[in-house]
Amino acid sequence: PNGINWTFEFLAFLLFQNLVVGMLGTTALAAFGVVIALNSASFMPAFGISSAGAILVGQAIGAGRKDEVPRAFRITLGTVMSWQGAVGLGYLLLPELLLRLMLESSGEAADQALLEVGVRMLQLSCAWQLFDASAMSLSEALRATGDTQFPMWARLALAWGLFFPGSYLCVRFLGFGEVGTLLWLAAYRALLSLRERCLAQDRAHRERAAARALSVRGRQTSKSVELGIRPNARLRSRAAGAGRRS
């Protein structure tokens, strides 16, 4: 499920970039490429931290210390959100400087039209940073618990059932520009974060229900054993008393 998830989710994103953003023109497409390259500075470390947090979650579950899972997840989520939030703040406050540095490092000329579109796109990219952090942390934690198939279908349904067709239709027929297009991307990441949160809450609810059921069965078993022992003890006492009288 993990391989299928990443393959088809990235395919939806590539279609979004080449078909949807491509309809906005070469300048918008080039600016979007630079913005996504800059966003890797936010995404890649965050993904590494989320994967490390998933390892801690898996180790806690494997060692039978499930009570440590919430703490490991909170630390992971807080670290990832702090990182992506700080980088997103840089995108919001220093977009032109970051774009110029990126273009100069690749040997490209800082075209004014490219900078104007790129500045708007880079500032808009800060809108999905915290959603991205939440979705990644939750997704990796769920995978660590062994819950991979249902999150895969949920992510693919959002990517192929809403994000790509919705953004394509809005640009193709409603005339959305780069602002509306990137807002679609931000909305997709927000919905993905919300969906992962719902899955995590459902998982936690099922775990608590299973723990309660196990506890109830344990109490019932203990009570049955206790009730079964007491009559046998009385019978043995009566038999011993009869033996002494005889």
Side-chain angles (χ1 to χ4, degrees):
N2 286 345
I4 294 173
N5 177 20
W6 286 115
T7 299
F8 283 94
E9 195 172 359
F10 276 122
L11 181 58
F13 183 79
L14 286 174
L15 288 174
F16 169 78
Q17 179 175 349
N18 292 299
L19 291 182
V20 178
V21 181
M23 286 189 291
L24 301 175
T26 56
T27 300
L29 183 59
F32 185 74
V34 177
V35 167
I36 293 303
L38 278 168
N39 266 259
S40 65
S42 171
F43 172 82
M44 295 305 293
F47 181 72
I49 296 169
S50 299
S51 298
I55 292 172
L56 294 177
V57 170
Q59 286 178 338
I61 293 173
R65 301 191 301 268
K66 291 186 178 181
D67 56 312
E68 295 181 8
V69 171
R71 181 175 178 272
F73 172 72
R74 284 194 300 269
I75 293 173
T76 303
L77 179 62
T79 306
V80 174
M81 292 189 80
S82 297
W83 168 253
Q84 292 205 250
V87 176
L89 192 61
Y91 296 158
L92 180 65
L93 300 177
L94 303 169
E96 186 171 347
L97 174 62
L98 294 172
L99 284 167
R100 286 185 182 276
L101 290 173
M102 185 69 179
L103 290 170
E104 289 173 3
S105 66
S106 60
E108 298 290 335
D111 181 72
Q112 188 59 37
L114 178 65
L115 283 175
E116 289 178 1
V117 177
V119 164
R120 288 196 295 271
M121 285 187 169
L122 190 58
Q123 286 180 321
L124 282 168
S125 73
C126 73
W128 67 69
Q129 298 301 318
L130 296 183
F131 295 129
D132 210 26
S134 176
M136 267 194 300
S137 300
L138 287 164
S139 177
E140 291 302 299
L142 284 170
R143 289 193 182 102
T145 65
D147 197 352
T148 58
Q149 196 168 44
F150 193 64
M152 176 195 72
W153 290 116
R155 293 173 76 95
L156 293 184
L158 280 175
W160 289 94
L162 180 65
F163 168 56
F164 172 66
S167 59
Y168 177 83
L169 291 173
C170 286
V171 173
R172 180 71 176 82
F173 298 105
L174 300 180
F176 275 34
E178 65 269 5
V179 174
T181 304
L182 262 71
L183 286 177
W184 259 104
L185 183 55
Y188 165 62
R189 302 308 297 179
L191 289 172
L192 191 58
S193 173
L194 179 63
R195 184 57 185 156
E196 296 288 355
R197 181 177 177 81
C198 290
L199 289 175
Q201 288 177 336
D202 178 66
R203 173 87 183 192
H205 175 73
R206 285 186 278 119
E207 289 283 348
R208 287 193 296 268
R212 285 196 298 269
L214 185 62
S215 176
V216 169
R217 285 197 297 269
R219 288 197 298 270
Q220 290 174 344
T221 302
S222 299
K223 188 174 182 180
S224 299
V225 171
E226 183 181 357
L227 291 174
I229 290 174
R230 286 176 178 173
N232 293 335
R234 287 196 295 270
L235 288 173
R236 286 195 297 270
S237 176
R238 290 174 184 173
R244 285 194 296 272
R245 286 193 300 272
S246 62

